[in-house]
Amino acid sequence: MDNAEEDALQLHGDEEIIEVIDLSDAEQTPDDLAEEFEDVDFADAGNQDPDDEGWETEDEMEAEQDDSELTFSKHTGSVFCVRLDPATNNLAITGAEDDKAYVWSVSDGEVLFECSGHKDSVTCVGFSHDSKLAASGDMSGLIKVWKVETKEEIWSFEVGDLEWLQWHPGAPVLLAGTADGNVWMWKIPSGECKTFQGPNCQATSGKILPDGKRAMVGYEDGTLRLWDLKQGSAVYVIKGHDGHQGALTSMECNKDGSLVLTGSVDGQAKLINTSTGKCGLKLCRQKIHEQDSNSVESVGFCNVLPLIAVAYLDGTLAIYDLSTHSIRHRCKHEVGIVHLQWEESSAVLATCNLGGVVTLWDARSGNMVSEYHGHSAEILDFTLNREASMAVTAGGDHKAKVFCLQRPDR
């Protein structure tokens, strides 16, 4: 590669700055995920007040229509998080401000069991890769794991203030990031443990890569570390020009794990080559005023086209074309976007926002496909099922809802 190719190319659009760096060195060889963890040594190794923010109260935001098929109303506080069981997509787990999590059926709303015993708001939930185990974690750092079949708690552990929680994609292994900068990894249910010590600041975002051997972790100071889960060591520390200038807010990887897309409160999204630890693409919206703050709230890869999506707090959904390193569409929401998710087998993506609405967008045209109303407050999280025929939402109105997503081509 000559000097000209090594130099970053800056493309200036109306609002975006796109910086491109060569990504040709990416490569990855997937392996049997579960077997990789058989010989891992787990020994020691290194409330939002509506008045405060100026948001409308629930009465003022009372929904005029309810497009949902089902409403889950067991929670008595804001519902912060929701996940579907990956094996069948028939069960949801939700965590809320009422210090509770529930595992329940998306077909009829019946509670399978309550994840009781938490001491603070439950902000992290999830099912293991085979749906046999469910995890719930609260803000204070108390993590519990439940056996779904028997509805029994089989393991618990307490760490510092919890930032995120994620199951391994192919083994009964759980990772957690905490406010003191540590990342914890446990075998479940034995509890064998390994820790990964980061900088002295919050580990705000994390993603286990599809090979199951590495995890990318982002921190409050804008740095990232790619961890080797077996060795317990950092493969790369990504900082400076390649890192961010503020806390990481979101992180996703492409299907083979060769690329990780990151978002930050600094208003930038970056594409990281996991083979080299280098930033290959920097995306940022220009500020109109220096004091403007436009955090990236969510990011994601399209599985069927070379497209990525970046969702901003100002309500902009930006669709970028990786093959041309250019912006393809800007899809505008009237309020801030909370989360985005691409459908698994199409170029359609869904967003949820602070207005309590789920919106489907066609990334090829940039057009809105449909909107789904029903929440009387902001949607704080949502997830799509495998077929993208259903969205399950978590709301600030103390409710979780199931929406049936209909499109003419289905």
Side-chain angles (χ1 to χ4, degrees), residues 216-382:
M216 187 73 82
V217 179
Y219 298 87
E220 185 183 26
D221 63 0
T223 63
L224 298 104
R225 281 162 174 76
L226 181 65
W227 291 100
D228 182 314
L229 298 180
K230 187 173 181 179
Q231 300 298 326
S233 57
V235 182
Y236 300 114
V237 177
I238 302 164
K239 57 185 180 180
H241 178 77
D242 287 329
H244 284 276
Q245 304 307 307
L248 275 289
T249 56
S250 54
M251 188 180 299
E252 287 295 336
C253 65
N254 62 347
K255 287 184 75 172
D256 67 3
S258 59
L259 300 171
V260 170
L261 182 60
T262 62
S264 166
V265 296
D266 66 7
Q268 296 185 0
K270 295 196 173 189
L271 199 64
I272 307 294
N273 181 327
T274 58
S275 294
T276 64
K278 297 297 183 182
C279 171
L281 188 65
K282 181 175 75 173
L283 309 166
C284 59
R285 288 175 52 75
Q286 290 180 329
K287 295 180 180 180
I288 299 174
H289 303 291
E290 187 57 38
Q291 66 269 26
D292 286 352
S293 175
N294 190 22
S295 172
V296 173
E297 295 299 301
S298 190
V299 296
F301 287 88
C302 177
N303 286 336
V304 298
L305 290 174
L307 303 174
I308 57 174
V310 181
Y312 295 89
L313 186 59
D314 74 350
T316 300
L317 173 66
I319 310 294
Y320 297 93
D321 190 326
L322 287 179
S323 61
T324 61
H325 300 130
S326 62
I327 187 163
R328 179 175 280 199
H329 302 292
R330 295 185 196 94
C331 309
K332 188 64 180 172
H333 300 67
E334 294 182 1
V335 294
I337 305 169
V338 177
H339 182 58
L340 73 83
Q341 185 178 341
W342 287 91
E343 295 187 357
E344 283 197 14
S345 56
S346 83
V348 172
L349 72 159
T351 60
C352 70
N353 64 45
L354 294 173
V357 180
V358 174
T359 310
L360 296 186
W361 301 90
D362 187 332
R364 294 162 298 190
S365 65
N367 293 331
M368 185 181 74
V369 177
S370 52
E371 280 188 332
Y372 298 88
H373 299 255
H375 281 281
S376 59
E378 66 276 13
I379 297 176
L380 299 171
D381 193 17
F382 83 100

Side-chain angles (χ1 to χ4, degrees), residues 67-69 372-375 389-391 393 401-405:
D67 302 318
S68 65
E69 297 291 310
Y372 298 88
H373 299 255
H375 281 281
S389 60
M390 176 179 68
T393 57
K401 286 179 174 285
V402 178
F403 293 89
C404 181
L405 309 181

Side-chain angles (χ1 to χ4, degrees), residues 1-7 22:
M1 183 166 54
D2 59 29
N3 292 335
E5 290 174 319
E6 289 179 350
D7 289 337
D22 186 85

Side-chain angles (χ1 to χ4, degrees), residues 86-108:
T88 69
N89 284 182
N90 292 333
L91 296 176
I93 181 171
T94 48
E97 190 181 16
D98 57 9
D99 304 353
K100 292 180 180 179
Y102 290 99
V103 175
W104 50 278
S105 167
V106 297
S107 62
D108 58 14

